[in-house]
Amino acid sequence: MIILESFSLQRFNTFGINVTAQYFCRIKTKQDIIHIIQNELQVYTKHLFIGGGSNILLCNNFEGLVIKNEIVGIEFIKENENFVWIKSYSGTPWHDFVMYCVENNYGGLENLSLIPGTVGAAPMQNIGAYGAELKDTFVSLEAIEIKTGETYIFDNDACAFGYRESIFKKEEKGNYFID
Ligand SMILES: Cc1cc2nc3c(=O)[nH]c(=O)nc-3n(C[C@H](O)[C@H](O)[C@H](O)COP(=O)(O)OP(=O)(O)OC[C@H]3O[C@@H](n4cnc5c(N)ncnc54)[C@H](O)[C@@H]3O)c2cc1C
C-alpha cells in the first residue's frame, strides 16, 4: 500500500472541493485496514476515512492521513424459507449492493436504491428513503476499534439506530472503522 503526499481530494468528495490531504492512501483488503490501524494511525496527527465522499464537506486542506475505502465485494451467506442473508464489504458502492439484491429477487432494499456512497457508511446515519431505512433489513456489522485494532460485532440493537442516527455518530463517534 502506498501513502501519497499532498494529494488532491477533488475527485473524492461529491462537492468536488479541491482541498489537499497531507497524506492519502487507498485500502483494498481487510489486511490493509488492519495494517493502517495497528501501524500507521499513531504516526499521523489526524485521520479521516472516506467512502464515496457524499456526506462530507471539506473546507480546508486536511492535515493528516485520509484513508479511501476500496474494500469491495458481496457474498451470499445463507437463506431459509423467508429470509436471505447477504454480506457486503464496506467499500462496495451502496447502489451496487441494492442492485445485486434486486437482480437476485431479494426484496427489502429497493427503496434505498441510488443513495450515493458506500455500504460501510450506510450504518453511520441509518440511511433511508421513501419510508424505508437501513435498520429495517440490517442484521449486523463488523467494526475495528481504532484504539486496539480488535474487531467487534454490532447487531441491529447495538447500533442504536434512529432517524439518520447511530451509535457511530454519538458515543462511539470516531472510535471504529466499519469493516
Ligand atoms: C445527492 C445526494 C443524495 C443523498 N440522498 C440520501 C438519501 O436519500 N438518504 C440518506 O440517508 N442519505 C442520502 N445522502 C447522504 C449520503 O448518501 C449518505 O450519508 C451515505 O451513507 C454517505 O456515504 P459515503 O460513503 O459517501 O460517506 P462519506 O461521505 O465518505 O463519509 C461520511 C462519514 O462517514 C465516515 N465513514 C465513511 N466510511 C466509514 C467506515 N467504513 N467506517 C467508519 N467511518 C466511515 C466518514 O469519515 C464521514 O465522517 C445523499 C447524499 C447526496 C450527495
Side-chain angles (χ1 to χ4, degrees), residues 12 14 48-56 69 90 114-129 164 176-179:
F12 299 100
T14 57
L48 173 68
F49 297 119
I50 289 193
S54 67
N55 208 6
I56 47 172
N69 185 2
S90 58
L114 291 172
I115 296 179
T118 52
V119 170
M124 295 289 292
Q125 65 156 21
N126 178 30
I127 59 168
R164 305 295 179 269
Y176 289 90
F177 173 79
I178 297 173
D179 188 21

Side-chain angles (χ1 to χ4, degrees), residues 50-140:
I50 289 193
S54 67
N55 208 6
I56 47 172
L57 178 55
L58 300 165
C59 299
N60 299 301
N61 291 340
F62 188 82
E63 303 300 326
L65 176 64
V66 172
I67 302 138
K68 169 80 171 82
N69 185 2
E70 296 181 354
I71 307 173
V72 297
I74 298 172
E75 281 174 20
F76 172 92
I77 302 296
K78 63 178 179 179
E79 66 183 325
N80 65 19
E81 254 175 56
N82 299 312
F83 297 103
V84 55
W85 284 257
I86 308 291
K87 171 176 176 168
S88 172
Y89 293 86
S90 58
T92 305
W94 172 260
H95 183 67
D96 290 1
F97 181 52
V98 175
M99 288 313 294
Y100 170 91
C101 294
V102 169
E103 282 161 10
N104 285 285
N105 279 328
Y106 305 147
L109 294 183
E110 326 57 72
N111 284 14
L112 307 184
S113 65
L114 291 172
I115 296 179
T118 52
V119 170
M124 295 289 292
Q125 65 156 21
N126 178 30
I127 59 168
Y130 304 109
E133 292 178 297
L134 177 75
K135 74 175 175 61
D136 302 336
T137 48
F138 174 95
V139 177
S140 65

